[in-house]
Structure formats: C-alpha cells, structure tokens
Amino acid sequence: MAQSLFSLPVPPSLNVFWIDNAEKKSSFSLDIIALFFYRHFIKKSDEKYDSYHFLGTIYAEMGKHDYAINAFKKHIKIFPDAHMTLNRMGLSYDQIGEFDRAVDSFRQAQKIKKDYYNAIYNEANALKHKNKYDAAISKYKQAISINADPWVYHN
C-alpha cells in the first residue's frame, strides 16, 4: 500500500546530514540537498511513497521543467488520483510553453477533484497564454466563484 513520505520517521543521521550541510556550507544549495535526498529515497523506497511528486517539485523550482514533468508522470503512474501532481505538472508544461498539455493536466486534476481552485485558476492562465481570452475569463470567473480571496491557499 502506498503511503505519504510525511508519514515516515526521518532517521537521526539524515537530520544531521541535512543540518550540517545546510548550515556549514553556505554554497550548498538546499535544492541540491533535497534533490539528493529524494533521488536516494526513491531508489530505496521501491516506489511506494510520494517521492516523485516532491522530486518533480524540486526540479520545477530549479527551472528544470522537463525533469519535473518526468518525475510527475512517474508519480501519476503510481498514484493516478494525484490531483496536486497533475496541477504541478500543468504548471511545468505552462512554463515551457506547452499550453495544450498544461490545459489537459489542469482539466485532469479538476476531474479528480471537482472545484479544485488552483487547477481552475492555472487553467485560466494557460488559456490566456494560448490567446483564448473568452475561455480564460470564464475560468477566472469560475475560480472567483469558488474562492473570492486568491491569497487563501487551496490543495
């Protein structure tokens, strides 16, 4: 049974590694540490956890969207109902200009979680990037009807 990485205990040795390297080596990027951790964990975990989602997120934050998309696809293969992963994958597609794929990802996320504000709003942005302004406005209105305060975070 697959379970979240957050439910696992973190070994003390890993905490020491993380803290020592983050604090003592200012040039040692936290993204690189996280990347190392998730890649290592994936090898050891037999793909039972949501590590690929986090790995994809790190790649996306580093601007490596092709790598991010590959990690997100692996996660979705394990967790087909991962609406947040589909949303993140859509954001990466949007960043590299693949707006049709971005829209598809956002719509898949909305099929899994109806009224998913983030995916609706992100779909509106992707439609705007495709110059489909009427469709984008419709999606923005839908997003506002769900959440009038865009500063509130929704999963």
Side-chain angles (χ1 to χ4, degrees):
M1 168 79 114
Q3 60 182 343
S4 173
L5 183 62
F6 292 123
S7 66
L8 298 175
V10 178
S13 60
L14 184 59
N15 283 332
V16 170
F17 167 80
W18 194 285
I19 293 167
D20 283 352
N21 284 300
E23 290 180 355
K24 292 181 181 174
K25 298 179 182 178
S26 59
S27 63
F28 203 38
S29 166
L30 287 177
D31 286 338
I32 300 301
I33 295 169
L35 188 60
F36 168 80
F37 170 71
Y38 287 116
R39 291 174 92 184
H40 178 74
F41 188 81
I42 287 168
K43 288 179 186 175
K44 302 288 183 188
S45 71
D46 195 28
E47 299 182 342
K48 294 177 186 170
Y49 308 101
D50 51 6
S51 306
Y52 283 114
H53 173 87
F54 295 111
L55 180 62
T57 300
I58 293 163
Y59 277 132
E61 288 176 2
M62 295 171 73
K64 297 182 180 290
H65 295 287
D66 290 334
Y67 290 104
I69 290 165
N70 286 333
F72 292 141
K73 284 180 179 179
K74 288 178 182 178
H75 182 78
I76 292 164
K77 193 172 189 176
I78 300 166
F79 301 96
D81 291 338
H83 65 281
M84 289 191 298
T85 304
L86 284 161
N87 184 58
R88 291 243 181 206
M89 186 167 68
L91 290 170
S92 284
Y93 278 130
D94 191 67
Q95 287 293 310
I96 61 174
E98 293 192 31
F99 305 124
D100 289 329
R101 288 184 175 181
V103 169
D104 288 342
S105 294
F106 299 134
R107 288 181 179 166
Q108 287 177 39
Q110 292 169 62
K111 284 180 185 175
I112 294 166
K113 184 175 181 187
K114 189 177 187 290
D115 294 333
Y116 180 27
Y117 171 80
N118 290 349
I120 295 166
Y121 179 82
N122 292 333
E123 181 185 350
N125 287 334
L127 289 166
K128 178 183 70 173
H129 297 146
K130 290 178 59 173
N131 299 322
K132 297 198 174 201
Y133 299 112
D134 290 338
I137 289 169
S138 175
K139 281 294 180 177
Y140 284 128
K141 287 179 179 179
Q142 183 183 356
I144 290 168
S145 74
I146 293 166
N147 178 31
D149 185 359
W151 297 108
V152 175
Y153 179 76
H154 294 271
N155 280 330

